[in-house]
Amino acid sequence: MKKLTLILAALSFAAVLSAQVKKPTLMIVPSDNWCTQRGFVENYDNQGMTQTLPNYNAAFNEDQDLGFVIAKISGIMADRGFPLKNVYEEMKSINTTSAELSALQGKNGGSVQTNTYNEVRNRAKADLILQLNWKVNNVGPKKSVTFNLEAFDAYSNRSVASATGTGNPSFSAETAVLLEEAVNSYMDEFCARLQSYFETMLEMGREIGLDVYVFDNDEDLDLETEFDGKELIEIIEDWVADNTVGHRYNLVDANELQMKFEEVHVPLYDERGRAIGASDVAGNLRKYLRNTVQLPVDVKVLRIGLGQARIIIGSK
């Protein structure tokens, strides 16, 4: 009896420890390939270049299976203790905001435009994005589903883990049920890889990119301008070094007009538990340049995405 009590106590303690392990936040979306194959895409003007991105609104509105399929996979992940962001709810919120913004007209008559693909990611701030692709196979009177589930770091867009397989043929006519049967046997290993990657990020920091540009300004200021005997380029690099996890970063390009940082390791969360993105880091650097260094010109931050931000010194 005493031995049984000790075993139960050990199991209970292990369960408590397991519950305390922090999990990455996930969001499941239809893969870029899945959207492209079905024509659920939209073209955007990205600084003069046409960029083709998935159109989630069209996908959810026109594909009857999509919502059920994502709900099934979300349920499987939730059963394993992984918190999920609801892509459909994020889209509804974005669409509501977009409708309100469309009524706003600038002085030149131009309306405010949004990019749903990027807005979904920026608002959700999930740690990992799971892209799902699948197709239904007809095997006589039965059907099966072939799937590919790939996880990406939402900030660096790096592939983290993947699972691919085909389920057993079944008489079931529901795509979501077929997919659930197909993926179940792969989920334990897949989730273990996600957790391992996330724990590495907790220890070593999340990777972001940071660019600094100097534009023409009335002070003739550039990155070689000195403040208290130190060039601005050195001041900025010192700040990045002091505000990264383990001083891990890579300065891949630097001259008097620009600096390009890659693989900048920053903490996942701030003191309030909020996810830290590239624009947050850039915002803190902006405050430092304005308040501590006291640059005599304007400093702006442009958010490129969760994992990329740009600081503009001077006027554009």
Side-chain angles (χ1 to χ4, degrees):
M1 183 67 181
K2 183 177 180 180
K3 184 176 181 181
L4 178 60
T5 302
L6 289 173
I7 292 174
L8 291 175
L11 290 174
S12 176
F13 180 68
V16 170
L17 286 179
S18 177
Q20 291 176 342
V21 173
K22 191 167 183 63
K23 301 281 189 180
T25 302
L26 312 176
M27 185 167 67
I28 303 172
V29 299
S31 75
D32 294 358
N33 285 338
W34 187 90
C35 291
T36 299
Q37 290 168 2
R38 289 158 178 79
F40 300 138
V41 294
E42 193 167 0
N43 293 325
Y44 293 90
D45 181 9
N46 183 8
Q47 297 182 351
M49 297 183 64
T50 301
Q51 184 178 16
T52 301
L53 298 174
N55 186 335
Y56 293 150
N57 281 318
F60 275 96
N61 289 334
E62 298 180 30
D63 190 286
Q64 297 179 348
D65 290 327
L66 180 57
F68 296 108
V69 163
I70 287 184
K72 281 291 185 184
I73 302 298
S74 297
I76 291 172
M77 301 302 296
D79 289 343
R80 286 162 172 79
F82 286 87
L84 293 112
K85 297 282 188 174
N86 189 314
V87 61
Y88 187 66
E89 291 302 318
E90 295 292 341
M91 279 176 42
K92 287 200 299 185
S93 175
I94 290 168
N95 289 337
T96 298
T97 303
S98 296
E100 294 169 350
L101 288 176
S102 66
L104 299 176
Q105 300 291 322
K107 293 181 179 179
N108 60 357
S111 61
V112 179
Q113 296 183 351
T114 59
N115 180 324
T116 305
Y117 178 84
N118 289 324
E119 282 296 323
V120 165
R121 286 160 168 73
N122 290 335
R123 286 205 186 197
K125 284 196 173 181
D127 298 302
L128 303 173
I129 301 292
L130 273 55
Q131 291 201 12
L132 177 64
N133 193 356
W134 76 92
K135 68 173 182 176
V136 177
N137 311 305
N138 294 306
V139 187
K142 298 181 179 181
K143 293 181 179 180
S144 68
V145 163
T146 298
F147 77 94
N148 180 65
L149 184 63
E150 187 167 10
F152 293 87
D153 185 317
Y155 291 72
S156 67
N157 207 34
R158 175 178 297 164
S159 179
V160 174
S162 64
T164 303
T166 300
N168 294 322
S170 169
F171 286 107
S172 175
E174 295 184 23
T175 301
V177 174
L178 291 171
L179 184 62
E180 181 183 28
E181 295 171 352
V183 304
N184 257 322
S185 61
Y186 297 87
M187 284 298 99
D188 288 338
E189 181 180 355
F190 182 75
C191 289
R193 291 180 181 176
L194 300 186
Q195 186 63 33
S196 176
Y197 180 82
F198 182 69
E199 289 171 1
T200 299
M201 280 203 301
L202 283 172
E203 178 184 352
M204 301 186 67
R206 189 196 309 280
E207 288 187 20
I208 65 164
L210 190 64
D211 298 332
V212 180
Y213 290 92
V214 177
F215 283 83
D216 291 338
N217 56 84
D218 295 335
E219 303 292 331
D220 289 329
L221 179 147
D222 62 30
L223 293 172
E224 294 181 347
T225 302
E226 292 189 1
F227 293 84
D228 293 330
K230 211 171 190 179
E231 289 186 354
L232 185 55
I233 197 169
E234 297 177 84
I235 293 172
I236 292 173
E237 184 174 5
D238 286 348
W239 186 93
V240 172
D242 291 340
N243 288 273
T244 49
V245 178
H247 310 295
R248 297 184 183 93
Y249 67 93
N250 186 12
L251 180 58
V252 296
D253 188 22
N255 56 51
E256 72 275 13
L257 296 178
Q258 67 177 30
M259 302 176 72
K260 185 175 182 62
F261 293 92
E262 294 180 351
E263 300 171 4
V264 179
H265 291 250
V266 299
L268 270 65
Y269 307 105
D270 63 16
E271 64 278 1
R272 296 185 179 181
R274 295 176 298 194
I276 296 176
S279 60
D280 301 308
V281 177
N284 289 334
L285 176 53
R286 173 180 179 268
K287 291 176 183 177
Y288 177 77
L289 294 175
R290 295 187 65 183
N291 301 333
T292 302
V293 181
Q294 296 186 336
L295 294 187
V297 297
D298 194 18
V299 182
K300 298 179 181 178
V301 172
L302 298 180
R303 185 177 68 179
I304 311 301
L306 279 177
Q308 189 74 30
R310 184 172 297 157
I311 292 179
I312 307 295
I313 297 175
S315 59
K316 186 175 179 180

